[in-house]
Amino acid sequence: GENVEQHPSTLSVQEGDSAVIKCTYSDSASNYFPWYKQELGKRPQLIIDIRSNVGEKKDQRIAVTLNKTAKHFSLHITETQPEDSAVYFCAASGGGNKLVFGAGTILRVKS
Amino acid sequence: GAVVSQHPSWVICKSGTSVKIECRSLDFQATTMFWYRQFPKQSLMLMATSNEGSKATYEQGVEKDKFLINHASLTLSTLTVTSAHPEDSSFYICSASRDSVAYEQYFGPGTRLTVT
């Protein structure tokens, strides 16, 4: 089955700097890669997603890149703000319409 | 659109009792619903996938007789934790998908279960 690895586990950046979180997946058949943001005690919220027929997708300060050959995808957040502090999860489609989640990255934006 | 609710948001129960958690899609029909468990500072672990009108598919290692899932309608799925024990204490989150092939999942707010 699909396996998703996510790095780093924690990331501290200064306000205004960029943050990059990387994920690798194992199943070459996976074709959907969402990113979720989860604040403490709350539900995961979809912030951006990408499908395998696209290499990059951008939405304001957030972008995701996908390298299907290398089986990795990354989340890029530019001009970070304190409200970006949260746990971020990557995921990959893993058979049927299931999602397999990475372990998560705690992002801390210091002001 | 695509709002999912969960009830209750938190529950405390005694060991040996059963607890039912409801997951509802409020503004769309959810052919497929998923149940996850999340331990503190950990990722979401898929417990089972349920399709309306059919039996749930459980992930390896999840006891189907302990975690009973019912998806009786296109807007409601329930998870019943039977004979709860302290180790069942966790954050349970459901999500819903519009159809069996759509990948987008919309998450409920979660239910914090504490078993004493």
Side-chain angles (χ1 to χ4, degrees):
Chain A
E2 177 65 277
N3 182 50
V4 178
E5 294 191 358
Q6 183 172 345
H7 299 279
S9 56
T10 60
L11 178 59
S12 290
V13 299
Q14 204 66 35
E15 182 178 358
D17 288 349
S18 295
V20 180
I21 303 171
K22 298 180 179 180
C23 288
T24 60
Y25 61 98
S26 60
D27 189 350
S28 56
S30 294
N31 57 10
Y32 176 67
F33 308 92
W35 286 89
Y36 288 88
K37 175 184 180 182
Q38 187 179 30
E39 297 178 4
L40 188 63
K42 297 192 175 180
R43 77 184 83 197
Q45 294 203 314
L46 178 69
I47 56 172
I48 197 167
D49 58 10
I50 192 168
R51 295 183 184 273
S52 59
N53 57 349
V54 176
E56 183 175 359
K57 184 176 178 181
K58 191 174 181 181
D59 183 3
Q60 299 183 337
R61 296 187 296 110
I62 296 173
V64 57
T65 58
L66 171 65
N67 184 325
K68 282 219 73 179
T69 303
K71 288 190 280 188
H72 66 71
F73 55 112
S74 301
L75 176 71
H76 304 253
I77 305 174
T78 58
E79 300 172 25
T80 54
Q81 300 167 2
E83 50 265 38
D84 293 330
S85 297
V87 182
Y88 291 81
F89 293 100
C90 65
S93 55
N97 59 340
K98 293 194 303 186
L99 293 177
V100 178
F101 285 82
T105 296
I106 299 171
L107 174 64
R108 296 191 184 96
V109 180
K110 297 175 286 186
S111 55
Chain B
V3 179
V4 177
S5 70
Q6 247 180 277
H7 179 79
S9 55
W10 60 270
V11 58
I12 302 172
C13 71
K14 294 185 177 181
S15 288
T17 61
S18 296
V19 174
K20 180 185 283 188
I21 302 169
E22 292 186 349
C23 177
R24 292 182 185 273
S25 57
L26 299 184
D27 54 1
F28 68 102
Q29 293 186 328
T31 303
T32 306
M33 287 186 170
F34 304 86
W35 287 95
Y36 294 86
R37 183 173 181 177
Q38 187 176 34
F39 291 105
K41 298 184 179 181
Q42 293 191 23
S43 189
L44 292 92
M45 183 193 78
L46 180 65
M47 300 175 65
T49 302
S50 72
N51 290 293
E52 184 264 340
S54 60
K55 290 184 178 180
T57 301
Y58 290 81
E59 295 298 302
Q60 192 172 7
V62 177
E63 299 176 59
K64 60 181 180 180
D65 293 331
K66 180 167 186 60
F67 299 99
L68 301 178
I69 291 171
N70 184 277
H71 192 163
S73 77
L74 286 171
T75 60
L76 173 64
S77 177
T78 60
L79 167 68
T80 302
V81 182
T82 63
S83 187
H85 291 283
E87 55 265 32
D88 298 325
S89 299
S90 191
F91 194 51
Y92 292 88
I93 309 177
C94 71
S95 70
S97 183
R98 293 181 189 276
D99 59 54
S100 59
V101 296
Y103 290 119
E104 292 86 349
Q105 293 186 22
Y106 305 97
F107 283 86
T111 296
R112 174 77 56 194
L113 170 63
T114 301
V115 184
T116 61

